[in-house]
Amino acid sequence: MKKYEFTIIATGLDPNRDDFADRFFGAGCDDATISFQKGAIILEFDRTAKNFAHALDEAIKNVELAGATIVHIEPDHLVSLSDIAVRAGVTRAAASHYANGDRGKDFPLPVARVTTENPLWDWVEVARWLRRRGQIGLAELLRARVVRYANLEISKRRATQRVFGRDGGYRRDHRTAA
Amino acid sequence: MARSRHPNKEIEAAVQHAEACGWIVEMSKGHSWARLLCPLHTPDGCILFVWSTPRDNENHANSLLRSIDRCRHCHEEGDDEKV
C-alpha cells in the first residue's frame, strides 16, 4: 500500500450549508483536505491504496456519494514547459531544450494554446518520451494515462449532461459563475 | 476571543499559522472542527475546512499548511501594506 496525492475539483454543494463537510466525511473523504475557492470545491486527497488507479477510482466514488459533481482531476494532463520541468525533475532551461529539439529528438508537439507564448503539452505524450529516455518510472507514465482517461471521461459526461439537462445538482451559484 | 485548541498538536499548529497570516477561525459543528476564512472577506475569499478527526492527522496538517500558503489573498494583503 502506498500514499497517493491528487486533487479532485467538484461543484454542486453549498459550503455554507451545515451538512457540507459532514456529507464528505460520511462519504469517506476524511483523507481529503477540503477548501472552497472561486466557487469550486477542492478536495486534496492523501489516499493510501494498492495503486494510483485504485486510489483515484475510489476517491471519485466517495466524492460522488457525497452528492458533488466532479469537474476535473489534478495534476492536470495538460502541462506547460514549467510543469514538465518540475515533473521530470529538470530545469526549465532543460525542458526548453527538449522542446526545441536541442536535446533529444522527436519531442511531442504541443496540443493546446499552440499560438501563445505558453503552449501546453499532453503529459501522457511527454511522459512516454521521458520514459523512453529512462528519465521517469513506469508508474509515473501509468499515472499520467489514468489522469488523462479520467479527465476525458469527466468532460464527456459533463457535456452530455449539459445537452440533456440531467445535471440535477445544486444549480444556484451564489458566487456568480465566471 | 479565546477559541478552543484542536486536540492534535500538528493541526493546531497549522491553525495558528493561518491566524498569523490573517485568517479567521470559525468553529463549526459535526465532523468539521472549524472553518478557516482567508483575509479576503468577500465571496471570492477562500474557505478551508479543518477536520476534528481526519484519517491521518499529519497528512491533514501538511495539506492545511500548503493551502494556507497558496492563498493569494494573504500575499495581496501584504503587498498593499507596502504601498
Side-chain angles (χ1 to χ4, degrees):
Chain A
M1 297 290 259
K2 236 190 114 190
K3 188 180 95 172
Y4 296 96
E5 293 177 23
F6 53 89
T7 301
I8 294 181
I9 298 164
T11 183
L13 291 175
D14 183 350
N16 293 312
R17 271 180 55 161
D18 285 343
D19 65 343
F20 176 81
D22 282 358
R23 275 171 165 272
F24 286 107
F25 195 96
C29 301
D30 57 328
D31 56 349
T33 295
I34 304 173
S35 59
F36 191 79
Q37 290 169 44
K38 298 185 190 117
I41 304 164
I42 321 248
L43 298 110
E44 294 180 58
F45 281 90
D46 286 291
R47 176 143 300 195
T48 305
K50 60 182 177 189
N51 61 47
F52 178 72
H54 204 261
L56 184 62
D57 189 44
E58 287 297 315
I60 286 172
K61 285 182 195 150
N62 295 148
V63 173
E64 287 177 338
L65 183 63
T69 306
I70 296 174
V71 180
H72 205 68
I73 311 291
E74 286 184 346
D76 201 3
H77 64 283
L78 288 178
V79 288
S80 66
L81 272 187
S82 305
D83 297 328
I84 292 169
V86 171
R87 294 188 191 190
V90 299
T91 62
R92 174 68 167 70
S96 297
H97 287 312
Y98 296 158
N100 297 340
D102 295 343
R103 207 179 289 175
K105 282 201 168 61
D106 303 321
F107 192 78
L109 297 171
V111 294
R113 290 201 213 151
V114 178
T115 58
T116 71
E117 292 275 300
N118 266 311
L120 299 175
W121 279 261
D122 181 335
W123 174 241
V124 175
E125 293 176 10
V126 176
R128 207 178 281 138
W129 187 86
L130 290 165
R131 174 72 192 140
R132 278 203 299 271
R133 292 163 52 100
Q135 285 179 264
I136 59 165
L138 181 61
E140 186 61 33
L141 174 58
L142 293 175
R143 187 183 161 132
R145 295 176 64 163
V146 170
V147 171
R148 183 177 71 176
Y149 177 79
N151 273 333
L152 294 179
E153 283 300 310
I154 289 161
S155 46
K156 228 189 286 174
R157 205 164 53 182
R158 281 174 62 78
T160 318
Q161 283 170 341
R162 268 190 222 110
V163 171
F164 296 104
R166 279 192 279 113
D167 190 6
Y170 167 77
R171 283 243 166 187
R172 189 178 60 89
D173 191 353
H174 70 290
R175 299 204 151 172
T176 325
Chain B
M1 282 303 278
R3 59 167 177 85
S4 59
R5 293 170 68 87
H6 194 284
N8 176 268
K9 69 174 193 311
E10 284 151 326
I11 296 173
E12 172 60 24
V15 173
Q16 286 182 15
H17 175 66
E19 289 180 305
C21 296
W23 292 56
I24 286 173
V25 182
E26 186 188 88
M27 303 307 290
S28 42
K29 291 190 190 104
H31 293 292
S32 164
W33 177 76
R35 299 200 316 173
L36 305 180
L37 308 176
C38 94
L40 183 69
H41 301 306
T42 73
D44 281 332
C46 310
I47 306 174
L48 195 49
F49 291 83
V50 183
W51 294 125
S52 297
T53 54
R55 201 174 298 182
D56 184 294
N57 287 318
E58 198 183 331
N59 286 347
H60 189 46
N62 288 335
S63 191
L64 288 172
L65 287 174
R66 274 201 305 274
S67 300
I68 294 158
D69 289 339
R70 207 175 42 210
C71 167
R72 290 210 207 99
H73 310 123
C74 305
H75 305 305
E76 277 167 19
E77 186 132 299
D79 292 343
D80 289 346
E81 281 165 18
K82 276 180 228 154
V83 174

